[in-house]
């Protein structure tokens, strides 16, 4: 399955500033890890980053007709207040998994609320770059449900 990975604002700075919060891995390295992870699982990813809300809305809206099967989305700071991104996620039929490098629930109060989470398939936060890999797995290898009892 082909998965679209969207990185929101400021994530282009990853690995160059605030290593104590976001680590030392750059966005180029995260994307490389994702491509390798997807390849090992027989899938693929296309990774894009934008600092602009409208660009992210356009990519979300276009994803289905571009042939993607799901979206791994780190909306960055937009997570906490962008109703435009929430509406875009709610409007599309593709599954979206919200991911965060940091554990947003253990940080400042304003980061504990996501306006996206309620319309996403789920949220993964706090595992550094691995959050993205887990997001890929959640979309491509949904957890097995226990067999029904007879
Ligand atoms: O933990 C995450 O992945 C966040 O989405 C990152 C956002 C933050 O606003 C969210 O609350 C949580 C910030 C991305 C900025 O990334 C930087 C990376 C390096 C240096 C400066 C910013």
């Amino acid at each position: 399955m082909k998965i679209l990975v969207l990185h929101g604002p400021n994530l282009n700075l990853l690995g160059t500033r605030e290593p104590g919060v976001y680590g030392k891995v750059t966005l180029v390295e995260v994307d490389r890890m994702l491509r390798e992870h997807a390849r090992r699982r027989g899938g693929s990813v296309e990774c894009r980053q934008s600092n602009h809300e409208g660009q992210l809305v356009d990519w979300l809206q276009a994803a289905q007709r571009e042939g993607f099967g799901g979206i791994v989305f780190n909306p960055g700071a937009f997570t906490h207040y962008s109703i435009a991104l929430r509406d875009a996620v709610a409007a599309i039929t593709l599954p979206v998994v919200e991911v965060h490098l940091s554990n947003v629930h253990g940080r400042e109060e304003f980061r504990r609320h996501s306006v996206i989470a309620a319309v996403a398939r789920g949220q993964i936060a706090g595992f550094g770059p691995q959050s993205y890999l887990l997001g890929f797995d959640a979309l491509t290898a949904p957890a097995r449900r226990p067999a029904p009892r007879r």
Side-chain angles (χ1 to χ4, degrees), residues 23-71:
K24 287 186 182 166
V25 177
T26 65
L27 196 63
V28 169
E29 287 163 345
V30 171
D31 290 348
R32 194 179 303 135
M33 287 165 71
L34 268 161
R35 274 196 299 276
E36 180 57 23
H37 184 81
R39 195 190 58 76
R40 272 192 257 111
R41 280 160 174 69
S44 66
V45 289
E46 182 170 321
C47 304
R48 303 176 188 167
Q49 188 275 331
S50 179
N51 293 326
H52 304 280
E53 191 179 25
Q55 176 65 85
L56 293 164
V57 170
D58 288 345
W59 284 337
L60 288 164
Q61 287 184 9
Q64 188 147 29
R65 67 174 175 272
E66 289 181 336
F68 294 102
I71 303 169

Side-chain angles (χ1 to χ4, degrees), residues 64-125:
Q64 188 147 29
R65 67 174 175 272
E66 289 181 336
F68 294 102
I71 303 169
V72 173
F73 188 22
N74 184 345
F78 286 142
T79 302
H80 314 297
Y81 66 91
S82 174
I83 305 303
L85 287 175
R86 178 198 168 102
D87 287 349
V89 171
I92 63 177
T93 52
L94 284 182
V96 175
V97 172
E98 178 185 331
V99 302
H100 297 284
L101 295 154
S102 63
N103 179 4
V104 284
H105 302 286
R107 299 184 63 194
E108 304 96 321
E109 190 62 43
F110 69 87
R111 291 189 208 275
R112 293 187 190 162
H113 183 64
S114 165
V115 298
I116 312 285
V119 292
R121 188 59 65 91
Q123 186 197 57
I124 298 167

Side-chain angles (χ1 to χ4, degrees), residues 145-150:
R145 294 193 174 84
R149 284 208 209 138
R150 288 173 192 276

